[in-house]
Amino acid sequence: MDLLVFAHAQKVVSIEKNPSDNTFQIIAQFNTADSSWSPPAYIRCLCVLPLSCTRKTETSLYDWSAIVVGMSNGYVRFFTEKGLLLRSDHVSDSPIEEIRLGRSVMAGNQELTILSQTDLTCIEALSLYAALKAAKNQLACGEMDVEKVAAHAKLNVEKLKFESGIDVVDFGISGPLKATWFDLHSAATLSHQGYMAKIERSSLPLYSTYVFVGRSPYVGFGWHTPGASQNVLSDALYALGNQ
């Protein structure tokens, strides 16, 4: 463990391990909120992303770390471990509850998934890595307009809405899952069409899967196929919540 990050209210403290004597020292203390926000927003969750180095001479497993901060006003803000703001995205109209990184069927085989009270936002990790790296380089060269930097580094995002009445407070990314033909026919039978349901596909789908906990339902399982026209995640949670 080389980096510890603590948060309270609007502030974050980064503590880094000194390899020479194995002690920890504070390397940054910074405010995560924007002074223009009214009413003020506060930190709801954190996620630290160690970004792998690309230099062959680098001895560390990663080059630098990005601190992802979920705010109570639906913003997700990305900082370096030294407190430099890389980008700020308004992800949801409701508070951010949790942020997790996990395996995915999206490009790069990883995704950063953000849970709010109303939806689940999945960011393709490969596009996020490229965007954060570009932002860090441009800011280091003197570009101070974070919004301008972010506009030139778009993220590949899938936004999944929960059905009304679903109350999820936490989740885990359970990774990719390839369905079997039995699963496919069973799901079709349990759909609204029942035994009249038609399966019109020549190959088995590959899903990103999640485990949810909350008050309604207490435990739920959701899945979706990136790029699909139908919101499978909402349908799955809605069905589980009514069983």
Side-chain angles (χ1 to χ4, degrees), residues 91 104 106 111-114 120-125 156-160 208 210 224 233:
V91 173
S104 172
M106 303 178 83
E111 66 181 55
L112 185 74
T113 308
I114 302 163
L120 193 74
T121 303
C122 307
I123 302 176
E124 178 201 301
N156 295 331
V157 177
E158 292 271 351
K159 186 173 286 291
L160 308 170
S208 285
Y210 312 89
H224 87 285
L233 176 64

Side-chain angles (χ1 to χ4, degrees), residues 76-108:
V76 173
R77 316 197 88 193
F78 298 85
F79 297 86
T80 67
E81 67 270 36
K82 299 294 180 62
L84 176 65
L85 178 63
L86 298 175
R87 64 182 296 137
S88 180
D89 296 283
H90 189 232
V91 173
S92 176
D93 293 328
S94 58
I96 304 301
E97 298 291 348
E98 192 57 77
I99 303 173
R100 298 195 185 280
L101 179 72
R103 295 186 301 119
S104 172
V105 300
M106 303 178 83

Side-chain angles (χ1 to χ4, degrees), residues 41-160:
Y42 298 92
I43 298 171
R44 295 292 295 261
C45 55
L46 287 175
C47 182
V48 180
L49 306 178
L51 301 179
S52 59
C53 58
T54 56
R55 299 189 298 273
K56 293 182 179 180
T57 57
E58 186 66 55
T59 57
S60 175
L61 293 176
Y62 62 93
D63 193 6
W64 57 286
S65 297
I67 300 174
V68 191
V69 183
M71 307 297 293
S72 59
N73 60 354
Y75 272 86
V76 173
R77 316 197 88 193
F78 298 85
F79 297 86
T80 67
E81 67 270 36
K82 299 294 180 62
L84 176 65
L85 178 63
L86 298 175
R87 64 182 296 137
S88 180
D89 296 283
H90 189 232
V91 173
S92 176
D93 293 328
S94 58
I96 304 301
E97 298 291 348
E98 192 57 77
I99 303 173
R100 298 195 185 280
L101 179 72
R103 295 186 301 119
S104 172
V105 300
M106 303 178 83
N109 299 321
Q110 284 186 313
E111 66 181 55
L112 185 74
T113 308
I114 302 163
L115 173 70
S116 71
Q117 294 177 356
T118 56
D119 47 48
L120 193 74
T121 303
C122 307
I123 302 176
E124 178 201 301
L126 192 60
S127 69
L128 178 61
Y129 171 76
L132 294 179
K133 184 179 178 181
K136 187 172 183 289
N137 291 338
Q138 291 182 48
L139 292 171
C141 293
E143 176 60 66
M144 300 307 296
D145 191 338
V146 175
E147 293 184 1
K148 182 179 178 181
V149 172
H152 289 85
K154 297 294 186 181
L155 301 177
N156 295 331
V157 177
E158 292 271 351
K159 186 173 286 291
L160 308 170

Side-chain angles (χ1 to χ4, degrees), residues 105 177-181 184 201-207 223 225:
V105 300
L177 173 68
K178 189 170 186 177
T180 65
W181 286 112
L184 212 60
R201 65 165 60 241
S202 57
S203 60
L204 292 171
L206 185 63
Y207 300 115
W223 60 91
T225 303

